[in-house]
Amino acid sequence: MTSAALTIARIDPKKVELSGELTRKSIVGKQQKNFLSILVSNQQRVDLKALKKVDTAGIGWLLALIELAGEKQFEISYSNPPEELVKLARLSRVEQLLPIVKN
């Protein structure tokens, strides 16, 4: 059985791409380290197109990242969310809280 993995790839100083799984198994215990690797620019873009699996813990993770960015007075946006993420956000009634932009 393979373990769930989340990969964060820096595309340029203002853009990162998340790939793999954004699930409870892939984020537990690594939240602070992952957040610090993402929030390096005061205008951070996060591309979600390569995510293969998302659960409600993953949605919570994205919301927590928004909160931390706000505390640092950083602007953050998400692009290319997979349909699974959009459906979960809608069902959880947090769709308006996610700053999703069109690419």
Side-chain angles (χ1 to χ4, degrees):
M1 186 169 137
T2 58
S3 64
L6 172 66
T7 303
I8 301 168
R10 173 114 350 240
I11 307 303
D12 64 42
K14 293 186 176 187
K15 184 176 181 183
V16 296
E17 180 179 280
L18 303 185
S19 61
E21 297 185 8
L22 189 56
T23 63
R24 180 185 55 80
K25 287 182 181 179
S26 68
I27 59 179
V28 167
K30 299 175 244 169
Q31 184 165 318
Q32 192 64 24
K33 177 185 168 216
N34 288 340
F35 285 177
L36 292 175
S37 71
I38 292 172
L39 295 175
V40 298
S41 170
N42 63 356
Q43 292 187 340
Q44 194 64 66
R45 296 174 294 144
V46 181
D47 193 331
L48 307 172
K49 71 181 172 199
L51 289 176
K52 304 293 181 219
K53 186 174 182 180
V54 180
D55 66 10
T56 53
I59 298 275
W61 188 89
L62 293 173
L63 293 170
L65 183 57
I66 294 165
E67 182 179 2
L68 182 60
E71 289 172 6
K72 295 180 109 191
Q73 298 183 345
F74 282 14
E75 194 176 306
I76 191 167
S77 63
Y78 300 118
S79 62
N80 303 312
E83 190 59 34
E84 181 182 24
L85 187 148
V86 173
K87 286 179 183 178
L88 272 174
R90 199 172 293 137
L91 284 171
S92 303
R93 298 184 181 228
V94 296
E95 188 177 20
Q96 269 74 351
L97 300 175
L98 293 172
I100 296 174
V101 296
K102 303 279 185 207
N103 255 3

